[in-house]
Amino acid sequence: MRRVVVTGLGAVTPLGIGAEQVWKRLIAGESGIRAIQNFDVTDLPAKIAGQVPQGSKADGKLDLNEWIPPKDQRKMDRFIQLALVAATEAVEDSGWMPEDEEGRCATGVMIGSGIGGLQTIFEGSQQVLEGKIKRLSPFFIPSALINLASGHVSIKYGFKGPNHAVVTACATGVHAIGDAARLIQFGDADVMVAGGSEAAVCPLGIAGFCASRALSTSFNDEPTRASRPWDKDRDGFVMGEGAAVVVLEEYEHAKRRGAKIYAEFAGYGLSGDAYHITAPAEGHEGAFRAMKAALRNGRLNPEDVDYINAHGTSTPLGDDLELQAVERLFGDAARKLAMSSTKSAIGHLLGAAGAIEAVFSILAVRDNVAPPTLNLDEPSQPSVIDRVAHEAQSRRIDVALSNSFGFGGTNASILFRKAA
Amino acid sequence: MTDTAEITKQVKEIVVEHLGVEESKVTENASFIDDLGADSLDTVELVMAFEEKFGIEIPDDAAEKITTVKDAIDYIVKQKAA
């Protein structure tokens, strides 16, 4: 089987933009959760979110005009804009700019989103309701479609390989990166630009998740305390927006061109719950099987894993069930394990969550650092697993595993290890 | 507002804004697609912007014939005079 390595990273998150900078802030224990100011939240029970800070690139913030010409911004929903920024960073970081047709045809894109152009659809619907149906923009549909993130990235760089998009709710990011790695393993591509993007911090998005009682509502006055995975006072997730993209590359291809290698893709597993549309199954057995499948795929044993980036959304039910599934799978090996939820710092980026958490797992492997779980003051359930409460830890991390689970009962786990 | 010079000025402003091109390039003979980098969807959006700005309706068969800045100005001037 062909080996796959990571040669580029891009991140647009509530902790700013630029993978290295976001990572630094994450390790320092900073939070990107703030009060929502872009729209009226008076009637919404949840009034906070992880939002990408606005400002110049030089300050690690996002000014879209620095990345995308204004005339093109109008043709794409924010989720596509964020994906394009993250992909630009990742591609430039990798240094892979194919100069011949063969190279372009061997380079593909697989960027997914959980929801896609929600705000665009909302605004289009409003126009229709206001009797302006004939004023609907010709860019309405291409702005809202999920696979247009992959489309725009391919058009920008001329990448003519597989062009694909994943839609599996909050598991999107892991599925995109895992499936993209397989396309390289199977020889469909030599390089894949893969990840996830989400921009659902809008009235319809917040209201929708409020209606399904998924969001935290008790910490509106203390936003940075709201996302508290495994803590006894957790009361739901905090929505975040952003995008993360990685460049995956066949190992020999990367070596030949002297690319910088962050880590190696080391396994991928998928499962379905076949249980409930939003709630995880008993004992999170779907998560158990996804992790087990990833280990089997990577020919690794539980004791080989040093760090887990948990799905850990800060919802009352899910966090402890995931913990139980990890304890059951890892047995005695759980004692040496570090497991944290970086959603405590940036919130839940839905379709981008698995992608940004893959970036964090890759950097944890590179730097031998486990990022912290903020706000874990008192766990609702004790465990032998070190959940890296409050402060990052320096520890040997050869192999990291990242979990993502989505509505509909879809689960995915991915493994990265130090590149030999 | 209805005189040709004013319409010309406003048409050019819309083209500059929607196509993100420099004003100097928006000459009367410039073709939206060949000279100003528009694609077929851009031209649909441009026609909608003209309709909105000048309060007129441009049917599809007429819109198809508007391919240059001058075509747009002539069409709008004629509509406003009618």
Side-chain angles (χ1 to χ4, degrees), chain A residues 366-379:
Chain A
R366 184 194 68 177
D367 292 350
N368 295 306
V369 172
T373 304
L374 305 185
N375 302 312
L376 180 50
D377 298 335
E378 197 181 323

Side-chain angles (χ1 to χ4, degrees), chain A residues 71 74-75 132 134-139 142, chain B residues 17-20 41-42 45 48 51-52 57:
Chain A
K71 76 168 176 93
R74 287 204 320 273
K75 303 176 183 177
K132 295 183 188 160
K134 288 173 80 179
R135 288 271 170 273
L136 204 55
S137 162
F139 300 106
Chain B
E17 191 206 325
H18 280 259
L19 300 184
L41 292 182
D42 288 320
E45 200 191 34
M48 285 171 60
E51 289 180 323
E52 182 97 19
E57 286 242 8

Side-chain angles (χ1 to χ4, degrees), chain A residues 157-389:
Chain A
Y157 288 105
F159 295 155
K160 296 183 174 178
N163 199 269
H164 206 333
V166 172
V167 182
T168 49
C170 306
T172 297
V174 167
H175 279 135
I177 295 172
D179 289 355
R182 290 213 170 144
L183 289 180
I184 297 174
Q185 287 181 323
F186 276 67
D188 297 277
D190 291 332
V191 181
M192 287 295 296
V193 178
S197 184
E198 203 74 72
V201 179
C202 59
L204 200 54
I206 298 284
F209 280 101
C210 278
S212 56
R213 304 290 184 270
L215 298 185
S216 168
T217 56
S218 306
F219 296 89
N220 287 328
D221 298 329
E222 303 168 283
T224 61
R225 295 189 60 220
S227 186
R228 37 195 321 112
W230 299 298
D231 186 79
K232 68 172 179 46
D233 292 330
R234 69 185 184 276
D235 72 329
F237 77 78
V238 176
M239 187 120 91
E241 62 164 4
V245 170
V246 302
V247 174
L248 300 171
E249 190 165 348
E250 193 271 325
Y251 177 63
E252 296 297 336
H253 188 279
K255 240 177 51 177
R256 238 181 354 255
R257 67 181 188 93
K260 154 187 67 187
I261 294 175
Y262 285 95
E264 180 167 4
F265 164 77
Y268 170 50
L270 312 77
S271 75
D273 285 349
Y275 176 72
H276 185 266
I277 52 172
T278 60
E282 191 105 347
H284 224 321
E285 65 87 31
F288 179 89
R289 285 184 291 109
M291 288 187 280
K292 199 173 168 187
L295 289 170
R296 188 181 59 222
N297 177 244
R299 297 202 178 87
L300 290 166
N301 296 312
E303 55 268 29
D304 297 323
V305 178
D306 304 294
Y307 169 69
I308 296 179
N309 189 299
H311 186 56
T313 56
S314 186
T315 50
L317 191 60
D319 291 10
D320 285 344
L321 288 179
E322 182 183 12
L323 178 66
Q324 288 160 23
V326 171
E327 286 174 337
R328 185 156 72 92
L329 179 64
F330 281 72
D332 284 343
R335 291 177 187 285
K336 55 154 265 207
L337 200 57
M339 173 163 80
S340 62
S341 169
T342 46
K343 290 187 178 78
S344 59
I346 59 172
H348 189 355
L349 272 56
L350 311 180
I356 187 63
E357 289 157 22
V359 168
F360 293 155
S361 301
I362 290 160
L363 291 172
V365 166
R366 184 194 68 177
D367 292 350
N368 295 306
V369 172
T373 304
L374 305 185
N375 302 312
L376 180 50
D377 298 335
E378 197 181 323
S380 58
Q381 189 175 306
S383 174
V384 296
I385 298 170
D386 187 333
R387 279 170 284 177
V388 202

